[in-house]
């Protein structure tokens, strides 16, 4: 597997990894370009004014996903990893009131959001549905630098040149002991090595960093996920955006706690524990809070809910199981990203919640004693039963149907893992075949169902 666990799981901010984190990262990368005098166009002076043009899904749902704010914040020097809410808000106010941004290690530059941030609702650029073009001009209006960036899902950002060599752009050059690029290769290597999926992923990570750094990084990911669950369960009120969607995770959790231990509780109530944790995360994401892409922000609740379920409800669960769960999930997420997509704008929600559910199912199957064949089977079952799922957020907000959908993705993950463990690992549809089917389905899916809010629930439910 060529993708690291820390590429699949990134700590960032909501509401969207592709529409918020990606544009912020792209804008910050453009600043790096401007800091290099050698990148300046011949004959151009120092950059004095910036502009940004959003294309495709970034244009159609950018306002609901806070893409406009993310661009301004990125041009002011913010990144998802170092995000400072107060400084970021101040940068937006300054751009709106003064028409200026002040990035570190660069002169102040003009940027008036109403004029310099354009939502282009024409045909998307050919490279990807999430595209943005950043431009800097000198005081005379001469173009000093221009770059096209593609936000390809999960917070990953590629330039036009990087997109042309996409596989290499997301690969790590370090030699890896288990560089599988398909599920069949993963199974062959597991059989030959005697290691499980988590063991192979750990060996790959240890080729990049030492064990203490790896474990500390995994623990930080889970600590961030767990804290996000707890904040979501504690919060009340309405989510921002105008739909007046009320937070429900907290009140539902209160009911579940009150019912705990009562003989009248129905067995299916365990599903409510799963869904409430997933919803708590995605309510935090919708509010612009800190989340972990898993593999995206829109699907950030599935894996944390599965992990919390394992720790709180499964006999014999150990805190150290979390590391293996994250490693196993990252293996599956990496395969899906490498061979299909984790981007809703590219393949619909099957690529986001479907991928997250497959990752969670694999992780649960592993810590519940499944070998590599059952882990692969669990991932396939979960992904198969998300095939064809569209991405049609109402008003372009990551709220409806996204929040509940994460809860159902977590329930499917538990069911898929349990079904896989009931078998011997043999099954008709391979994970590779399912991933390829998802890719083809996404390619054939109408653009209005791929995070543009031009179809589905987005046009059949009033936005106010």
């Amino acid at each position: 597997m060529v993708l690291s666990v820390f590429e699949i799981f990134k700590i960032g901010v909501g509401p969207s990894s592709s529409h918020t984190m990606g544009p912020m990262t792209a804008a910050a990368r453009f600043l790096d370009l401007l800091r290099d005098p050698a990148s300046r166009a011949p004959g151009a002076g120092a950059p004095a004014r910036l502009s940004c043009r959003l294309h495709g899904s970034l244009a159609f749902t950018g306002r609901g996903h806070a893409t406009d704010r993310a661009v301004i914040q990125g041009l002011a020097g913010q990144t998802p990893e170092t995000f400072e809410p107060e400084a970021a808000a101040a940068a937006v106010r300054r751009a709106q009131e003064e028409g200026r941004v002040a990035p570190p290690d660069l002169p102040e530059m003009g940027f008036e959001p109403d004029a310099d941030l354009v939502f282009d609702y024409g045909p998307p650029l050919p490279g990807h549905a999430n595209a943005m073009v950043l431009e800097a001009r000198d005081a005379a209006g001469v173009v000093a630098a221009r770059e096209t960036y593609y936000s390809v899902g999960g917070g990953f950002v590629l330039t036009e040149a990087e997109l042309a060599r996409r596989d290499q752009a997301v690969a790590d050059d370090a030699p890896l002991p288990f560089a599988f690029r398909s599920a069949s290769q993963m199974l062959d290597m597991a059989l030959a090595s005697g290691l499980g999926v988590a063991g192979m992923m750990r060996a790959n990570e240890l080729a990049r960093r030492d064990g203490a750094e790896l474990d500390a990084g995994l623990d930080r990911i889970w600590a961030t996920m767990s804290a996000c669950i707890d904040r979501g369960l504690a919060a009340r009120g309405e989510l921002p955006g105008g739909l007046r969607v009320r937070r429900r995770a907290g009140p539902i959790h209160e009911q579940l706690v009150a019912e705990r231990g009562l003989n009248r509780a129905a067995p299916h109530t365990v599903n409510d524990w799963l869904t409430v944790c997933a919803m708590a995360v995605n309510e935090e994401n919708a509010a612009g809070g800190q989340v972990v892409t898993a593999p995206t922000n829109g699907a950030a609740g599935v894996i944390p809910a599965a992990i919390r379920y394992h720790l709180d409800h499964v006999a014999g669960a150990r805190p150290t199981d979390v590391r293996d769960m994250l490693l196993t999930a990252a293996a599956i997420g990496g395969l899906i990203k490498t061979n299909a997509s984790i981007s809703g704008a590219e393949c619909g929600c099957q690529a986001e919640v479907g991928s997250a559910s497959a990752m969670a199912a694999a992780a649960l199957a592993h810590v519940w004693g499944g070998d590599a064949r059952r882990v692969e089977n669990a991932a396939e079952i979960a992904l198969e039963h998300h095939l064809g799922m569209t991405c049609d957020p109402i008003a372009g907000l990551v709220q409806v149907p996204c929040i509940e959908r994460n809860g159902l993705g977590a329930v499917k993950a538990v069911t898929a893992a349990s079904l896989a463990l009931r078998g011997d690992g043999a099954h008709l549809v391979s994970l590779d075949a399912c991933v390829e089917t998802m890719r083809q389905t996404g390619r054939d899916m109408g653009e209005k169902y791929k995070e543009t809010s031009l179809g589905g629930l987005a046009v059949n439910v009033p936005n106010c």
Side-chain angles (χ1 to χ4, degrees):
M1 186 61 242
V2 294
L3 287 176
S4 167
V5 63
F6 300 112
E7 293 177 284
I8 295 297
F9 297 112
K10 303 184 189 73
I11 297 174
V13 294
S16 172
S17 49
S18 59
H19 288 59
T20 313
M21 289 173 59
M24 188 184 298
T25 299
R29 286 187 62 180
F30 190 63
L31 295 181
D32 289 337
L33 189 69
L34 298 182
R35 294 185 182 104
D36 180 8
S39 67
R40 192 175 302 166
R49 175 164 292 278
L50 302 171
S51 65
C52 176
R53 197 172 195 92
L54 302 172
H55 296 266
S57 179
L58 291 186
F60 283 106
T61 61
R63 296 191 191 280
H65 287 73
T67 304
D68 46 353
R69 297 176 63 86
V71 170
I72 298 169
Q73 291 160 353
L75 291 176
Q78 293 286 318
T79 68
E81 296 81 9
T82 61
F83 187 76
E84 299 175 3
E86 291 185 4
V92 173
R93 286 195 301 271
R94 182 173 190 182
Q96 292 171 337
E97 295 170 2
E98 303 176 21
R100 313 284 295 174
V101 291
D105 304 320
L106 283 169
E108 286 191 4
M109 290 175 281
F111 187 84
E112 299 180 37
D114 289 342
D116 296 319
L117 185 56
V118 178
F119 291 77
D120 189 326
Y121 300 113
L125 297 190
H128 190 276
N130 292 331
M132 54 190 289
V133 180
L134 286 159
E135 186 176 87
R137 293 178 178 266
D138 66 14
V142 177
V143 175
R146 179 189 290 124
E147 184 61 87
T148 299
Y149 295 94
Y150 295 96
S151 181
V152 297
F156 288 87
V157 172
L158 303 176
T159 64
E160 205 151 33
E162 290 167 346
L163 190 71
R165 56 180 193 276
R166 186 169 180 170
D167 290 343
Q168 291 77 22
V170 298
D172 194 311
D173 292 330
L176 302 176
F178 301 102
F180 52 86
R181 296 179 64 85
S182 68
S184 62
Q185 289 179 351
M186 179 184 75
L187 293 176
D188 290 343
M189 290 180 184
L191 180 63
S193 67
L195 295 174
V197 175
M200 292 191 295
M201 283 295 289
R202 176 170 284 276
N204 284 348
E205 293 297 333
L206 292 177
R208 299 173 168 119
R209 55 186 59 84
D210 64 38
E213 181 185 355
L214 171 60
D215 288 340
L218 294 172
D219 292 346
R220 180 168 177 249
I221 289 171
W222 170 238
T224 305
M225 288 178 168
S226 184
C228 186
I229 293 174
D230 293 339
R231 288 196 311 274
L233 294 178
R236 300 293 187 273
E238 288 185 358
L239 295 173
L243 289 181
R244 307 208 66 182
V245 172
R246 296 191 61 81
R247 289 178 180 258
R248 290 183 293 157
I252 293 173
H253 184 250
E254 287 180 354
Q255 295 174 36
L256 291 171
V257 170
E259 295 169 3
R260 183 184 281 155
L262 298 179
N263 290 332
R264 63 181 175 82
H268 62 255
T269 301
V270 72
N271 287 336
D272 297 342
W273 286 98
L274 270 165
T275 55
V276 78
C277 289
M279 289 171 62
V281 170
N282 284 85
E283 287 176 353
E284 279 295 289
N285 178 62
Q290 187 182 61
V291 298
V292 177
T293 61
T296 66
N297 284 27
V302 178
I303 291 170
I307 295 175
R308 181 68 71 88
Y309 171 79
H310 171 70
L311 294 176
D312 290 353
H313 296 275
V314 177
R318 304 166 300 172
T320 53
D321 289 344
V322 175
R323 296 171 182 169
D324 278 356
M325 293 183 77
L326 291 173
L327 289 167
T328 304
I332 302 304
L335 288 176
I336 295 172
K337 175 168 174 53
T338 298
N339 297 298
S341 176
I342 57 171
S343 167
E346 194 170 24
C347 285
C349 198
Q350 59 174 353
E352 295 205 28
V353 171
S355 296
S357 186
M359 294 163 66
L364 290 168
H366 174 81
V367 292
W368 291 348
D371 59 9
R373 293 189 308 158
R374 291 175 175 84
V375 166
E376 184 261 359
N377 189 194
E380 186 281 324
I381 293 171
L383 183 60
E384 179 181 335
H385 298 290
H386 284 87
L387 290 177
M389 183 174 283
T390 60
C391 181
D392 52 354
I394 297 175
L397 299 169
V398 193
Q399 297 180 17
V400 181
C402 320
I403 294 170
E404 287 181 354
R405 189 168 283 177
N406 273 257
L408 272 295
V411 171
K412 286 185 182 181
V414 171
T415 303
S418 183
L419 280 174
L421 293 174
R422 295 286 184 184
D424 61 4
H427 53 288
L428 180 63
V429 180
S430 70
L431 178 58
D432 286 333
C434 193
V435 170
E436 173 58 16
T437 301
M438 191 260 276
R439 186 192 69 81
Q440 293 177 10
T441 303
R443 179 193 62 196
D444 296 339
M445 188 181 291
E447 293 301 318
K448 66 181 181 179
Y449 296 114
K450 292 192 285 191
E451 209 167 357
T452 59
S453 291
L454 296 176
L457 288 175
V459 300
N460 286 295
V461 177
N463 290 345
C464 58

